[in-house]
Amino acid sequence: MDKIVVLTGAGISAESGLQTFRGSGGLWEGYDVYDVATPDAWARNRNLVLDFYNWRRDEARKAQPNAAHEALPKLEEKYQVSIITQNVDDLHERAGSTDILHLHGELLKARSTLDPSLVYDLGGKNIQPGDKCELGSQLRPHIVWFGEDVPKIYDAMEVAVEADILIVIGTSLNVYPAASLVPAARNARKIYVVDPDMPAMVQGDDGVTCIEKTAVEGVPPLVNQLLKNTS
Ligand code: APR
């Protein structure tokens, strides 16, 4: 059974109403990364950071998976499918994908500031000042901030090198080490990129099939074509 690896970014959740980061209307237009998404921001102004992620978490809970999220699990009928996502929402889970690696963490989880291995499901709650882990330290968002290690990149690399087919959806490929997963999938016989505005990394690369459409327009037909290819 061929293995498909899908690398997703904020663009796949855009049509579910969640903001991307870069480009017009992006999150980083309204917020300075260094005020809300770095360890220094957490040290300087913990409550602003908690408010930022509580707001993003509320937005993510209100969002619904779109046709792109919902098409991907169908590939599991005929392929071994691994999703590597930079997104911290749970839309891939809610759409039914079963093998998902969150490279940059998960909004719906919290973790100890003393022991990063202590991770807690938030259920329907948010994180407030004074919410403590079992060791008595303040809980923080279970998110990889800028300047922090990306512990799951090693697992993600092992997945990427096994790809027979790589599908990249809705990421500017601006952020490393996530972007290095594309060259890591060098053994893939096909690489598809679905994005209305092709990432610079793949522009002019004739080894890449560029689908210059939104995720909702471009992913379902691609999934149908890949399923047909194996029938
Ligand atoms: N369908 C598909 N792609 C879209 C859509 C859409 N409807 N709308 C926008 N895009 C594309 C944009 O063209 C862009 O290439 O999605 C990409 C979004 O890029 P970014 O905003 O940079 O998001 P992403 O690549 O996921 O950012 C990576 O940066 O800030 C950090 O940790 C954060 O995980 C994030 C990482």
Side-chain angles (χ1 to χ4, degrees):
M1 188 181 255
D2 271 355
K3 181 168 178 79
I4 294 183
V5 175
V6 187
L7 173 64
T8 65
I12 195 171
S13 297
E15 287 156 288
S16 295
L18 296 179
Q19 281 173 277
T20 61
F21 292 95
R22 298 166 184 84
S24 65
L27 262 178
W28 299 145
E29 268 188 359
Y31 287 91
D32 182 334
V33 176
Y34 297 97
D35 288 341
V36 292
T38 63
D40 178 52
W42 178 252
R44 264 186 296 115
N45 194 338
R46 175 170 300 190
N47 291 356
L48 176 64
V49 174
L50 287 175
D51 288 348
F52 176 65
Y53 285 97
N54 287 345
W55 166 71
R56 286 189 65 195
R57 193 173 299 110
D58 291 341
E59 292 298 296
R61 285 184 177 126
K62 284 186 285 191
Q64 295 302 320
N66 60 51
H69 296 105
E70 288 168 349
L72 294 174
K74 295 189 179 112
L75 287 170
E76 296 182 19
E77 293 159 26
K78 301 275 183 68
Y79 295 90
Q80 193 199 338
V81 183
S82 294
I83 310 270
I84 300 173
T85 187
Q86 299 170 83
N87 299 340
V88 293
D89 60 57
D90 66 339
L91 295 178
H92 282 303
E93 285 83 351
R94 283 197 266 150
S97 286
T98 55
D99 178 2
I100 303 162
L101 186 155
H102 283 274
L103 213 47
H104 294 161
E106 298 178 67
L107 261 181
L108 302 185
K109 293 183 179 171
R111 78 162 182 258
S112 163
T113 43
L114 263 186
D115 175 352
S117 69
L118 296 177
V119 177
Y120 307 89
D121 281 324
L122 280 167
K125 293 192 305 178
N126 274 327
I127 306 175
Q128 305 305 337
D131 289 350
K132 301 241 191 287
C133 79
E134 59 206 85
L135 303 176
S137 77
Q138 171 69 45
L139 289 177
R140 59 163 277 184
H142 183 45
I143 299 289
V144 176
W145 285 330
F146 285 92
E148 292 188 315
D149 287 344
V150 183
K152 293 201 172 178
I153 190 64
Y154 306 104
D155 293 345
M157 281 290 175
E158 284 178 19
V159 170
V161 297
E162 298 296 321
D164 297 303
I165 297 170
L166 175 71
I167 305 174
V168 179
I169 308 168
T171 173
S172 60
L173 296 174
N174 266 324
V175 169
Y176 285 81
S180 56
L181 292 169
V182 176
R186 60 192 163 279
N187 302 324
R189 67 170 187 276
K190 283 296 281 183
I191 298 180
Y192 300 93
V193 179
V194 181
D195 196 317
D197 180 14
M198 277 299 138
M201 181 195 280
V202 299
Q203 285 178 16
D205 180 342
D206 52 19
V208 172
T209 302
C210 296
I211 301 172
E212 296 198 49
K213 294 183 176 175
T214 71
V216 165
E217 292 162 353
V219 173
L222 173 60
V223 165
N224 291 338
Q225 178 207 317
L226 289 168
L227 289 171
K228 215 175 283 168
N229 290 357
T230 60
S231 51

